């Protein structure tokens, strides 16, 4: 199938092939090479929740490949008049060749994929999954380390509500990484995910101590505490600002350790970190363009040439 709702929709071979395609597409993503593979195709960008990078990188990806984009936001549309997701998606099927959807409700992307026949790419469903983010995260790790196998990846912050880490943890385990999960007690990775990862033979440790995890890390993946998912403001206030990394913390890190973050950051990453060799989050955001290009081509059944030439 051409939908991507969770990482289970992609086999390991497909993931590797999308990552190889993404490498070849970097000059196209930068605008240095013109490659209109998706000319005449229309993408519907369906955003029922805020977004900067995901929405813009999908739009850039589509446009750099010669396609066009319909931008939908739940603000200023018939959603305010009470139109259902089902009805809206019926329209989209008639207007576009492929749709990207972000929605506050877990399961909304699968629901959309079941409702219509054009390919659906899940750009984040509540606290559920965010598989296209995982593709750019894997790309960023491979770019830095050349492999995923055997790396110690430390996932930090809101592991309970953070959809990026739900999708990423699955993929990392499939490629042989070890995981260190660092979170406050109230925001630990849900048991069903941890049990699932462990049942596939994964090496996972859980802790509340970020500082202790730095020396052995190959990747530190910081996340924002997902304020909008908390049922209660006071509960948020108890954990807001709990983990922070700054340039001086890098003194304890291994050579080559990278710091990632899906962004937006709140207070997790001090600006002093930005100019260190470890900081990879802005490069990571750029990597959304080639990886989403490769995902769009895969779902639309368009092959990327072996060699992308000027
Ligand atoms: C993330 C998201 O929306 O889940 N952002 C993103 O897509 N880059 C992370 C977040 O909002 O904290």
């Amino acid at each position: 199938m051409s939908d991507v709702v969770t990482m289970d929709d992609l086999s390991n071979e497909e993931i590797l092939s999308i990552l190889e395609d993404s490498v070849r597409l970097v000059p196209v993503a930068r605008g240095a090479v013109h490659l209109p593979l998706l000319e005449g195709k229309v993408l519907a960008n369906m955003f029922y929740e805020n977004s900067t990078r995901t929405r813009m990188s999908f739009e850039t990806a589509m446009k750099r490949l010669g396609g066009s984009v319909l931008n939908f936001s739940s603000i200023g549309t018939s959603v305010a008049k009470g139109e259902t997701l089902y009805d809206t998606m019926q329209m989209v099927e008639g207007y576009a060749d492929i749709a990207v959807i972000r929605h506050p409700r877990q399961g909304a992307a699968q629901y959309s994929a079941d409702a219509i026949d054009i390919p659906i790419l899940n750009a984040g469903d509540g606290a559920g999954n965010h598989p296209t983010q995982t593709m750019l995260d894997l790309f960023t790790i491979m770019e830095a380390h050349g492999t995923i196998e055997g790396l110690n990846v430390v996932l930090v912050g809101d592991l309970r509500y953070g959809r990026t880490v739900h999708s990423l943890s699955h993929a990392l385990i499939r490629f042989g990484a070890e995981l260190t999960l660092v979170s406050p007690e109230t925001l630990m990775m849900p048991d069903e995910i941890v049990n699932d990862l462990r049942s596939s033979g994964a090496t996972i440790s859980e802790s509340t101590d970020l500082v202790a995890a730095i020396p052995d890390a190959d990747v530190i993946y910081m996340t924002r505490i997902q304020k909008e998912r908390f049922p209660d403001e006071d509960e948020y206030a108890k954990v807001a600002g709990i983990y922070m990394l700054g340039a001086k913390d890098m003194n304890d890190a291994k050579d080559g350790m990278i710091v990632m973050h899906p962004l937006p950051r709140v207070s997790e990453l001090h600006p002093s970190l930005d100019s260190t060799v470890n900081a990879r989050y802005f490069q990571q955001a750029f990597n959304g363009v080639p990886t989403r290009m490769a995902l769009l081509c895969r779902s639309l059944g368009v092959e990327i040439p072996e060699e992308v030439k000027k």
Side-chain angles (χ1 to χ4, degrees), residues 155-156 158-159 162-170 189 221 223:
L155 304 179
V156 186
D158 188 346
L159 308 185
R163 55 197 174 197
T164 61
V165 284
H166 296 166
S167 289
L168 180 60
S169 56
H170 271 283
M189 186 74 89
Y221 191 98
T223 63

Side-chain angles (χ1 to χ4, degrees), residues 15 52 73 79 97 104 127 168 181 191 212 233-234 239 242 246 259 271 287:
I15 292 172
T52 304
S73 145
V79 174
D97 302 293
L168 180 60
L181 307 179
D191 280 344
E233 277 269 332
D234 292 343
V239 285
I242 187 162
V259 178
N287 291 342

Side-chain angles (χ1 to χ4, degrees), residues 152 228 276:
N152 174 24
E228 66 276 29
T276 65

